[in-house]
Amino acid sequence: MSPEKSQAYSISIGGLVQGVGFRPFVYRLAEEEGIRGWVRNDAEGVTLHIEGEQKALRRFQKRLRSEKPPLARIDSLLVKACQAQGLQSFHIVHSESREEKRVAVLPDMSLCDACLAEMHDPSNRRHHYPFITCTDCGPRYSILRTVPYDRPNTSMAAFEMCPACRREYEDPADRRYHAQPIGCWECGPRLSFWQKIDNRWQELDGADNPQTASEIFLEETTRRIEAGQIVAIKGLGGFHLVCDALNEAAVQRLRERKHRPAKPFALMMASLEAAEKLAAVNDRERELLCSKERPIVLLDKKEGEKTVAEAVAPGIGRIGLMLPYTPLHTLLLERLNRPLVATSANLSDEPILRDGEVLRQKLGDVVDAVLDHDRQIVNACDDSVAQIIGDRVQWLRVARGIAPLSLTADSKNASAVLAVGANQKNTVALSLEDKIVVSPHIGDLNSIEAMEYFARTVETFRRFYDVSPEEIVCDLHPNYETTKWAKAFTIQNPKSKIHQVQHHFAHVLAVMAEHGYREKVLAFAFDGTGYGTDGTIWGGEVLLADTQGFERVAHLRPFRLLGGEKAIKEPRRVALALLFELFGLDEILAMENPTVRAFKPAEIRLLHQSWKKGLNAPIGSSMGRLFDGVASLAGVCQFQSYEGESGLRLEAWGSDGVAAESGFFEIDGDMIDWAPLVRALAMGERDTAHAFVAALTDLVAKVAERHPNFPIVLAGGVFQNRILLESCLAQPFAQRLMLSKFLPPNDAAIALGQLYYALQQI
């Protein structure tokens, strides 16, 4: 066809369209429709030039969206008519690496159905290969050193492709075209197995044939797990500690060795059918379990059935389940055919371990054996966690399969801005022109190792995008490690400017950022602790806020936190402080409630002196700590071995079907008074604790009535409470709700909120 008779268009596509097989998809589509032209990656995403008959071009454009690769996400698609060039074929143009320095880095993805089928096919050359992958699945972020996402820039550079893999890699019509982790038995990564002999680690001899060696190592791993041993297994972003979830002694042994007395363990199940034997699973939860992200999904335990060891999730009614997401996990679970504990391999307050030698040094007394492999994990990445509330997904930890999370800003900004987040559940966020990237979950920054992981993640993102941040955003809290880091960075880089954003304001801004909203909202920011503008600890805040600032229109009545940090781990201290606010010392000593019984009289007298004098007893208005106090007064939880335990135990204890008691909270001006609630609990009215969450919903409704003209934001870790959020979603004010979509309501969202504030100021 001559150029005069051809129609031609230039198409620019933005979104997640690099490293997902988009160019070969376009190539195959063009071949099928008889279209000529070219496709290439660029700094914005993908650019196409197409020419041909008008009907074919229209079909092509329609199929671009409807048949895109499973990992692709199209955020923008701009079509412009242009001059036909009389091209005779369609081809893929290779771009310069500098052009790809602004392109989104993709998260690791679970094994796809096509690779799963090949792995199970005895005639396939990758039969039972534990690292089978293609363009639609497998590692990305965890193996990437820098962008662009090309094999030399990944840890797969250590493996030279065999001729068969090379042919697949270079064929645009093949599913493995430019699949960077491509490999096979001949040229790809291999398993290894380590065991302790005479208390020394030794590598198990396998066989010269890698396939035979793999079978030996998998069989040995299976045998040890069946025998009740604990095995560390290397996954995509780090190691799991694995044991038989049916074996009470094995699970208890893991708790003792890891010094984790009660925090629930996640389980990995062989199949959806196996998961449904342990938990009640609805359609949305089923969909989430089977999604390409394969997160840990929090589900209700099946009532009356003891299907796994009690030590898996003691004292709570929910259980975290995930399906296998790598070929290695799949092969192992098919052999074992039982639920496995699969918890992150780390020491307390430290990040997930990614190197086998380091793991054997640090966790040598925890594990009995290690199933390792030689594909290096460059960037550690934990499992994502989610739950279904109502009909929506609420993310509780954003990591593997989700992060790095790429969002599009509503305007371009010339400055590179780095937000360093909070001290708990830390993430960092980086802006690049009109793109925002949020890191995977880093965790609590309570150790040197955790801070090293934080600094390494920051450096990784600076290296990915070849930027030095010109603006740094951090929290107001002077003792946050992230605040200290930000101030040190600006001293070392005098041209950088620092912004500080109040913690709860950042919570609210994070939700607004996800919705691209700038106008005023009525926001309920309920969490554990955050540094207030008045120097006290906040956490039960109602704000009228927009992107420029906020007004604190209501807050929880303040109370002292006896022992400071100790109060977070001992709900009984919170409850005792609440009693001190309302009753005399002699009255309290005469009480028979669970909180008073949790102390010796001498301890109560001593703590009363600390309370009166304000010694190591900071003032706070925290809704999260009020949850702790209620749990103590109700006799549900006096000590916490992990954050949020009291809330989970209250949730398990139940409040379904209990009517709201509007009298539990009194609103006096800008003060939300909890005194009626605590008085009822102190007098032994246990049903009060059941109705506590319903009363909170009633409180939100009453405050919302005072400000009827604004969208309502619910932010902060308290809104992870499923019963509370479900109750709010059922209220008339629900039509005004603006909730987080991609990030958790907890402190993992703080970095995005900080970044959004700075972008508005710039």
Side-chain angles (χ1 to χ4, degrees):
M1 184 180 293
S2 67
E4 290 78 12
K5 294 182 180 179
S6 290
Q7 299 290 322
Y9 295 97
S10 171
I11 302 178
S12 298
I13 303 175
L16 298 182
V17 289
Q18 294 192 21
V20 295
F22 202 87
R23 288 181 301 169
F25 156 70
V26 169
Y27 173 88
R28 291 191 292 270
L29 211 59
E31 290 282 295
E32 291 172 15
E33 294 291 351
I35 287 171
R36 300 166 303 285
W38 49 261
V39 58
R40 73 178 179 198
N41 290 338
D42 61 21
E44 303 301 321
V46 168
T47 299
L48 295 76
H49 173 86
I50 56 173
E51 50 188 66
E53 294 180 357
Q54 186 65 36
K55 287 183 179 179
L57 294 175
R58 285 175 179 167
R59 285 195 305 269
F60 175 86
Q61 291 178 50
K62 185 177 180 181
R63 293 177 67 188
L64 272 179
R65 283 190 181 274
S66 63
E67 300 177 23
K68 67 182 185 299
L71 303 186
R73 188 187 80 205
I74 295 177
D75 294 335
S76 61
L77 193 153
L78 180 64
V79 181
K80 290 183 178 180
C82 63
Q83 183 69 39
Q85 300 171 9
L87 301 175
Q88 300 302 308
S89 62
F90 195 93
H91 59 282
I92 296 173
V93 178
H94 294 286
S95 52
E96 297 295 324
S97 66
R98 178 64 199 172
E99 289 181 324
E100 297 181 345
K101 284 287 186 181
R102 293 294 181 268
V103 173
V105 173
L106 288 160
D108 301 326
M109 282 299 171
S110 61
L111 180 68
C112 71
D113 290 341
C115 284
L116 179 64
E118 289 179 351
M119 187 178 74
H120 284 147
D121 181 0
S123 66
N124 191 281
R125 71 187 188 91
R126 293 187 177 91
H127 180 235
H128 279 188
Y129 183 55
F131 306 99
I132 189 170
T133 185
C134 71
T135 311
D136 296 335
C137 65
R140 282 168 171 74
Y141 171 72
S142 63
I143 63 171
L144 187 62
R145 292 194 172 93
T146 189
V147 293
Y149 176 59
D150 290 332
R151 194 175 178 102
N153 294 332
T154 73
S155 57
M156 286 299 296
F159 303 92
E160 184 177 350
M161 279 182 269
C162 67
C165 285
R166 174 66 67 181
R167 283 193 297 271
E168 293 171 322
Y169 182 84
E170 294 178 350
D171 181 1
D174 195 281
R175 196 175 86 251
R176 293 187 170 89
Y177 177 74
H178 279 207
Q180 309 306 338
I182 190 174
C184 68
W185 288 114
E186 184 176 339
C187 65
R190 300 184 181 187
L191 293 176
S192 60
F193 188 90
W194 293 78
Q195 59 186 345
K196 277 189 284 190
I197 298 177
D198 296 330
N199 214 30
R200 294 180 63 185
W201 285 105
Q202 294 185 20
E203 188 172 2
L204 179 67
D205 289 334
D208 292 336
N209 182 302
Q211 190 165 4
T212 304
S214 180
E215 293 295 319
I216 292 171
F217 299 151
L218 285 170
E219 187 59 38
E220 183 65 15
T221 302
T222 300
R223 184 187 70 78
R224 287 174 178 265
I225 291 173
E226 288 177 337
Q229 293 191 14
I230 299 161
V231 182
I233 298 175
K234 191 174 184 179
L236 280 177
F239 281 85
H240 283 122
L241 301 181
V242 174
C243 70
D244 181 359
L246 302 177
N247 188 326
E248 191 77 53
V251 180
Q252 195 58 50
R253 192 179 305 116
L254 177 57
R255 288 204 174 279
E256 290 166 1
R257 291 182 182 180
K258 205 184 177 198
H259 306 294
R260 182 171 166 169
K263 188 175 181 180
F265 286 135
L267 301 185
M268 186 176 284
M269 315 298 297
S271 65
L272 178 61
E273 292 72 27
E276 290 178 329
K277 291 179 181 178
L278 299 188
V281 185
N282 64 34
D283 288 343
R284 290 288 284 121
E285 290 164 340
R286 194 173 292 112
E287 180 184 332
L288 187 58
L289 272 171
C290 298
S291 68
K292 66 182 186 296
E293 293 82 9
R294 290 289 170 92
I296 298 168
V297 182
L298 301 189
L299 303 164
D300 288 330
K301 292 179 182 176
K302 279 198 170 175
E303 293 184 9
E305 295 187 27
K306 187 184 181 301
T307 48
V308 293
E310 180 61 31
V312 166
I316 62 173
R318 310 201 80 199
I319 192 167
L321 303 183
M322 61 178 156
L323 300 184
Y325 54 84
T326 72
L328 178 57
H329 291 130
T330 304
L331 290 167
L332 188 61
L333 276 157
E334 287 173 351
R335 287 169 174 265
L336 284 157
N337 194 28
R338 69 188 67 199
L340 300 179
V341 169
T343 188
S344 301
N346 63 342
L347 292 173
S348 180
D349 291 332
E350 292 188 13
I352 187 170
L353 293 169
R354 59 195 172 103
D355 178 79
E357 184 176 351
V358 174
L359 180 137
R360 293 189 293 274
Q361 291 172 358
K362 288 198 167 191
L363 298 183
D365 294 332
V366 176
V367 300
D368 300 301
V370 180
L371 183 61
D372 203 346
H373 60 72
D374 56 356
R375 185 179 67 204
Q376 182 190 1
I377 297 173
V378 179
N379 304 303
C381 193
D382 223 319
D383 295 313
S384 293
V385 183
Q387 63 181 345
I388 298 293
I389 297 183
D391 195 40
R392 64 187 302 278
V393 179
Q394 184 187 64
W395 294 99
L396 305 177
R397 184 167 72 199
V398 171
R400 175 190 49 77
I402 304 293
L405 179 65
S406 299
L407 305 171
T408 302
D410 50 11
S411 61
K412 282 197 173 186
N413 175 49
S415 300
V417 184
L418 172 68
V420 295
N423 244 41
Q424 306 297 112
K425 297 178 174 60
N426 179 264
T427 62
V428 298
L430 181 68
S431 77
L432 302 150
E433 298 177 350
D434 63 342
K435 294 179 177 63
I436 294 172
V437 184
V438 183
S439 77
H441 168 83
I442 295 171
D444 298 347
L445 305 181
N446 298 330
S447 67
I448 293 172
E449 291 80 5
M451 276 307 298
E452 288 174 348
Y453 183 28
F454 163 85
R456 191 166 63 244
T457 302
V458 170
E459 186 54 40
T460 293
F461 279 83
R462 290 177 63 188
R463 183 175 69 250
F464 280 173
Y465 299 109
D466 194 20
V467 295
S468 181
E470 299 159 53
E471 316 264 346
I472 302 290
V473 203
C474 64
D475 196 90
L476 279 182
H477 202 306
N479 293 324
Y480 268 13
E481 295 301 327
T482 48
T483 305
K484 296 175 187 175
W485 185 94
K487 290 182 177 179
F489 182 90
T490 53
I491 290 172
Q492 295 168 4
N493 300 270
K495 292 183 180 179
S496 296
K497 181 180 178 182
I498 193 168
H499 304 264
Q500 290 186 269
V501 183
Q502 199 279 323
H503 186 92
H504 300 94
F505 184 34
H507 266 305
V508 177
L509 287 166
V511 179
M512 295 173 68
E514 289 198 59
H515 290 265
Y517 196 81
R518 299 184 182 186
E519 306 305 316
K520 194 158 288 186
V521 298
L522 175 68
F524 296 82
F526 292 170
D527 68 355
T529 57
Y531 193 78
T533 55
D534 59 1
T536 66
I537 297 168
W538 290 6
E541 315 309 312
V542 184
L543 311 177
L544 274 178
D546 57 24
T547 53
Q548 300 305 309
F550 69 90
E551 176 189 359
R552 192 185 188 202
V553 296
H555 60 87
L556 206 60
R557 173 178 168 175
F559 51 90
R560 291 196 177 276
L561 301 178
L562 292 169
E565 290 290 321
K566 274 190 175 182
I568 296 173
K569 295 185 177 181
E570 298 183 28
R572 62 178 190 156
R573 287 174 174 265
V574 176
L576 190 61
L578 296 173
L579 295 177
F580 286 158
E581 291 281 345
L582 302 180
F583 302 99
L585 179 59
D586 291 338
E587 288 180 281
I588 293 169
L589 289 168
M591 288 178 179
E592 286 297 322
N593 63 56
T595 297
V596 174
R597 289 197 297 270
F599 291 97
K600 295 176 182 177
E603 290 176 314
I604 293 176
R605 291 189 179 94
L606 184 62
L607 287 169
H608 189 257
Q609 289 299 310
S610 298
W611 175 81
K612 277 203 309 185
K613 296 176 181 178
L615 298 175
N616 195 23
I619 295 172
S621 59
S622 166
M623 186 64 77
R625 299 288 77 81
L626 184 62
F627 263 80
D628 293 345
V630 170
S632 169
L633 287 163
V636 175
C637 182
Q638 303 299 345
F639 296 88
Q640 294 194 112
S641 64
Y642 60 92
E643 185 192 4
E645 181 176 0
S646 65
L648 280 174
R649 289 185 178 273
L650 271 178
E651 190 177 289
W653 197 42
S655 57
D656 291 331
V658 179
E661 292 283 350
S662 58
F664 283 167
F665 292 101
E666 294 177 351
I667 306 174
D668 183 10
D670 65 352
M671 188 80 73
I672 300 168
D673 193 355
W674 39 259
L677 169 73
V678 173
R679 287 184 188 279
L681 284 165
M683 295 300 115
E685 297 176 17
R686 286 171 60 85
D687 282 347
T688 302
H690 286 269
F692 169 52
V693 171
L696 275 180
T697 307
D698 184 74
L699 168 66
V700 173
K702 280 184 164 49
V703 176
E705 287 175 5
R706 295 184 171 192
H707 305 276
N709 300 320
F710 305 109
I712 299 171
V713 168
L714 304 180
V718 166
F719 288 106
Q720 293 177 174
N721 185 286
R722 182 178 50 133
I723 296 172
L724 173 59
L725 190 53
E726 282 179 346
S727 179
C728 288
L729 288 169
Q731 303 304 312
F733 63 74
Q735 61 185 357
R736 295 165 56 192
L737 285 180
M738 185 183 293
L739 303 173
S740 55
K741 296 188 290 185
F742 308 113
L743 287 173
N746 60 42
D747 281 8
I750 291 290
L752 177 60
Q754 293 172 343
L755 186 70
Y756 197 51
Y757 175 78
L759 290 178
Q760 307 310 312
Q761 309 317 305
I762 295 168

